[in-house]
Amino acid sequence: MITVEKAFERIVMNAKPLTTERVAVAEASGRVLAAPLAARRSQPGADLSAMDGYAVRSADLTGDMRELSVVRESAAGAPYEHECKAGQAVRIFTGAVVPKGADQVVIQENVEARDGRIFTREAAEPHKNIRAMGIDFLEKQVVLDAGTFLTPKSLGLAASAGHSHLMVHRAPRVAILATGDELADPAKASFAPHETVNSTAPQLMALFRDAGADCSYIGQAGDSLKALQDTIKKAKGADLLITLGGASVGDKDLMQQALAQEGMRLDFWKVAMRPGKPLIFGQIGDMRVLGLPGNPVSAFVCALLFARPLIDQLMGRPAPLPQGVPLPLAADMPANGLRQHYVRARLIGVPGSRALDPAVDQDSSLLTVLAQSDGLIIRAPEAPAAKAGDFVPFLPF
């Protein structure tokens, strides 16, 4: 049995990012940028008006009432190509290029216009109501760093910088296999008392897809070596195989044996943690294998600590071991045992004065407790008893 830190090092830190591919900006959400992205243009590419009004020379705005003659106009996409000279004003619209010579825009509400002239009491204020060239970013400036997890807001920036396609790391292909004669599909019309609904597979598929993985459910295998081996074969071509259940030491826990017969090189089995002790990690060819416990909470905690960071690492986004943030306890906690304990807890109180309320029942089958929790309190091996008000590390999810 190894520590959580050692397990994380072997599972996650030893993994290398997958190969890269070029994808359209509109298809890149949820992927990780493989190289720094430099702008192909400045934004904006010229001084632009921030308001509808008149472009003027600030030097002309002297005295009480200023009178200027209006010469043509500058609109977005149709700039005025000539210079704005002394005593002149150019009608201008939001987003239009500020003409040469002009260095201020007077908004139309502060102008009286008649007979081709404007009258204003606006004071001189150079650069007022003007968006300077390059105020957002400059040509050749790096606008997104390598390792950026791409979201709609970052994709808008990439497109604005002149990029229609991006070089990203390939999304990991994750195959999920559930095992157990007792499992029932949630779509069943009714359930027998001996059945357990397969809740873990859809839960983890959602977790991994949110991380950017390409997930597929390859099926449920019964508790026999042949059924397990036949289903494991369906994972061919995946980067990561996640198995659910059959990882412990019972007579029906055949997952490790089935994986071995399919060529898995075992790295380790069992981690000094709870929930989640019976964790299998190995490799079949180039495919990594994570055998998670069958209890749904144990599987979720292991997926949160190891599988999701592994997906991040494969996508090119370095993933440190989740350490949590220090927050105060709302209730006393007893001393911990020999295994690192991940305790489900709720955040209570008001923003700025939050505290952690650990669930009374930590049974690893209770999905209601998991659903009502905001994260996990991390209790180190042999941690002493803690009092209400003591700060403990908290891992939100």
Side-chain angles (χ1 to χ4, degrees):
M1 190 159 56
I2 65 174
T3 65
V4 169
E5 292 75 16
K6 182 59 71 174
F8 189 88
E9 180 183 339
R10 289 174 160 176
I11 295 171
V12 179
M13 301 309 294
N14 290 336
K16 303 296 182 187
L18 297 174
T19 55
T20 59
E21 60 185 1
R22 191 168 179 262
V23 300
V25 165
E27 305 298 324
S29 186
R31 306 292 285 276
V32 175
L33 199 61
L37 193 73
R40 297 178 56 232
R41 62 184 300 271
S42 296
Q43 174 60 26
D47 290 350
L48 302 182
S49 177
M51 305 289 285
D52 292 338
Y54 294 85
V56 301
R57 297 161 57 97
S58 60
D60 288 339
L61 301 180
T62 58
D64 183 31
M65 175 67 79
R66 276 73 70 185
E67 177 183 345
L68 302 169
S69 62
V70 179
V71 291
R72 308 290 294 272
E73 69 177 30
S74 181
Y80 177 62
E81 302 288 357
H82 304 287
E83 184 177 355
C84 179
K85 297 179 180 178
Q88 294 181 337
V90 176
R91 181 73 168 109
I92 197 165
F93 302 97
T94 302
V97 174
V98 177
K100 295 175 185 176
D103 63 350
Q104 184 172 341
V105 171
V106 180
I107 63 173
Q108 58 191 26
E109 292 87 347
N110 292 346
V111 165
E112 180 185 343
R114 64 176 183 272
D115 301 327
R117 306 185 75 77
I118 60 168
F119 302 85
T120 182
R121 287 188 169 85
E122 188 84 357
E125 191 174 334
H127 313 300
K128 186 177 183 180
N129 299 321
I130 293 175
R131 297 182 180 127
M133 188 275 288
I135 192 173
D136 198 356
F137 52 80
L138 295 169
E139 184 179 356
K140 298 183 180 179
Q141 177 184 334
V142 173
V143 293
L144 291 171
D145 294 322
T148 298
F149 184 76
L150 297 169
T151 62
K153 62 182 180 181
S154 54
L155 295 179
L157 174 57
S160 181
H163 294 274
S164 63
H165 289 73
L166 302 174
M167 192 63 69
V168 298
H169 289 283
R170 180 170 62 77
R173 294 184 289 268
V174 179
I176 297 177
L177 181 162
T179 180
D181 290 335
E182 76 283 5
L183 290 185
D185 192 301
K188 282 191 67 176
S190 62
F191 305 99
H194 69 274
E195 291 181 320
T196 299
V197 175
N198 182 5
S199 60
T200 308
Q203 180 185 58
L204 296 192
M205 287 184 76
L207 179 69
F208 300 153
R209 281 175 175 161
D210 285 351
D214 177 10
C215 288
S216 62
Y217 180 57
I218 60 173
Q220 175 185 326
D223 292 321
S224 74
L225 275 176
K226 185 177 186 310
L228 287 169
Q229 288 178 260
D230 288 346
T231 312
I232 290 168
K233 287 181 171 68
K234 296 179 183 178
K236 184 177 180 180
D239 300 296
L240 173 61
L241 169 62
I242 301 286
T243 67
L244 307 174
S248 194
V249 294
D251 292 343
K252 297 288 188 178
D253 291 315
L254 304 173
M255 183 58 73
Q256 188 174 164
Q257 185 179 346
L259 289 166
Q261 291 189 9
E262 289 303 306
M264 184 186 75
R265 304 185 304 277
L266 179 67
D267 189 314
F268 67 82
W269 174 48
K270 295 185 181 179
V271 181
M273 60 181 286
R274 59 180 176 136
K277 174 184 172 183
L279 178 72
I280 299 168
F281 178 59
Q283 198 154 329
I284 300 174
D286 293 330
M287 178 176 69
R288 292 169 175 82
V289 179
L290 265 178
L292 306 186
N295 275 328
V297 176
S298 302
F300 179 81
V301 171
C302 287
L304 201 66
L305 290 176
F306 303 114
R308 180 158 182 172
L310 174 58
I311 288 168
D312 285 342
Q313 191 86 352
L314 293 174
M315 291 183 69
R317 185 167 56 167
L321 175 66
Q323 299 284 358
V325 294
L327 287 174
L329 285 169
D332 296 349
M333 293 191 75
N336 191 30
L338 295 176
R339 289 186 282 159
Q340 187 147 300
H341 193 186
Y342 292 87
V343 180
R344 281 159 283 167
R346 295 183 304 125
L347 281 166
I348 60 174
V350 296
S353 183
R354 296 287 199 186
L356 300 171
D357 182 26
V360 173
D361 197 335
Q362 292 290 323
D363 187 283
S364 59
S365 69
L366 301 181
L367 283 172
T368 50
V369 176
L370 182 68
Q372 292 163 6
S373 297
D374 298 301
L376 303 168
I377 295 170
I378 305 173
R379 298 284 282 155
E382 300 186 274
K387 297 289 187 182
D390 289 350
F391 280 74
V392 293
F394 179 68
L395 181 61
F397 54 64

